[in-house]
Amino acid sequence: QGHLLGGKVRYAQPRHGFRSGIEPVLLAASVPAQPGEQVLEGGSGAGAALLCLAARVPRLSGLGIDRDPELVELAQNNAAANGWPGLRYLAADLTTASVSGAFDHACANPPYHDEAGTASPDPSRRTAKQGNAGMLAAWASALGRPLRPRGTLTFVIPAALLPEAIAAFGAAGCVASALLPLWPKPNSQAKLVLLQGTKDRRKPFRVLPGLVLHEPSGGFTAEAEAVLRGGNTIAF
């Protein structure tokens, strides 16, 4: 039994295979959900992102969709262990799943390793990390479709996929409006970025100051600790 957000969230995940990193915690911190709103997540895994959101936002309702039924069962158990009945999880392919209702926000940490590259020998890691051509567009479309007008769509992705992701957001009717780089250390290139768009509403595109994750010595910065352990938001 593990924890997230400095012990605020009880969190179990597989001992072997794919294990969550800091990406879902950062993703949850960037979703501007308000009390009582509904959030849809693609590739929810063991539930880390929605669990972190529920810890911050009272009365949150959330639906996580993941292809791995074992992870879905684990995510549902995690929601129950934390006493958050508003979170539910569905074992399905996001791009073909039938999603009912309207959501205020949608988010994802999509698979991003090129399928032409060397595949992980572990099936769960391969499913979680390896995508195919056009996958970002398919995920943005699937997540954008059930969004309410002016609902937000947020991805955490490698910086190298930014042009593809911006195009995918536009095609899904959620024109990208803000980019927040995640710097590994001061004066280093961003390997990951947070990208956010709004459905049916075009805003001037902004590049935000970003978040430095690690000190030169290797530990997390105070700003990163405030998000990863303190539960602070990343304001867009």
Side-chain angles (χ1 to χ4, degrees):
Q1 180 71 46
H3 297 85
L4 298 169
L5 297 183
K8 297 181 182 67
V9 175
R10 298 175 64 184
Y11 183 63
Q13 60 180 328
R15 291 183 181 274
H16 306 287
F18 176 71
R19 293 174 61 82
S20 300
I22 62 174
E23 292 92 341
V25 183
L26 296 167
L27 180 64
S30 66
V31 176
Q34 298 298 313
E37 289 189 333
Q38 299 189 70
V39 180
L40 174 65
E41 183 190 7
S44 47
L50 287 179
L51 292 167
C52 290
L53 258 175
R56 173 167 61 86
V57 183
R59 306 187 311 280
L60 184 83
S61 295
L63 172 62
I65 300 176
D66 198 282
R67 288 192 296 176
D68 188 329
E70 292 184 3
L71 287 178
V72 166
E73 182 179 3
L74 195 53
Q76 201 64 65
N77 291 340
N78 282 333
N82 285 280
W84 292 324
L87 301 185
R88 58 192 179 94
Y89 296 88
L90 174 66
D93 184 325
L94 173 66
T95 60
T96 58
S98 177
V99 179
S100 60
F103 292 82
D104 302 285
H105 309 279
C107 62
N109 174 24
Y112 54 81
H113 288 168
D114 191 335
E115 64 178 351
T118 302
S120 170
D122 184 273
S124 65
R125 287 190 61 83
R126 191 162 58 245
T127 299
K129 290 295 186 182
Q130 196 163 32
N132 52 35
M135 193 210 61
L136 284 183
W139 276 46
S141 176
L143 290 168
R145 197 176 305 119
L147 274 179
R148 304 179 192 274
R150 300 197 175 188
T152 68
L153 177 63
T154 308
F155 278 9
V156 56
I157 54 169
L161 294 183
L162 184 58
E164 182 182 346
I166 289 176
F169 274 41
C174 303
V175 175
S177 57
L179 167 70
L180 192 144
L182 297 167
W183 315 109
K185 291 184 178 181
N187 303 314
S188 63
Q189 295 185 14
K191 295 181 179 179
L192 292 173
V193 298
L194 288 158
L195 183 69
Q196 192 168 96
T198 307
K199 185 169 183 176
D200 298 335
R201 185 182 183 191
R202 185 179 291 273
K203 299 179 181 179
F205 188 79
R206 298 169 297 140
V207 178
L208 304 176
L211 176 66
V212 179
L213 298 175
H214 297 95
E215 299 284 0
S217 59
F220 285 116
T221 63
E223 293 79 8
E225 285 277 7
V227 173
L228 298 172
R229 295 182 61 83
N232 283 14
T233 61
I234 297 176
F236 273 81

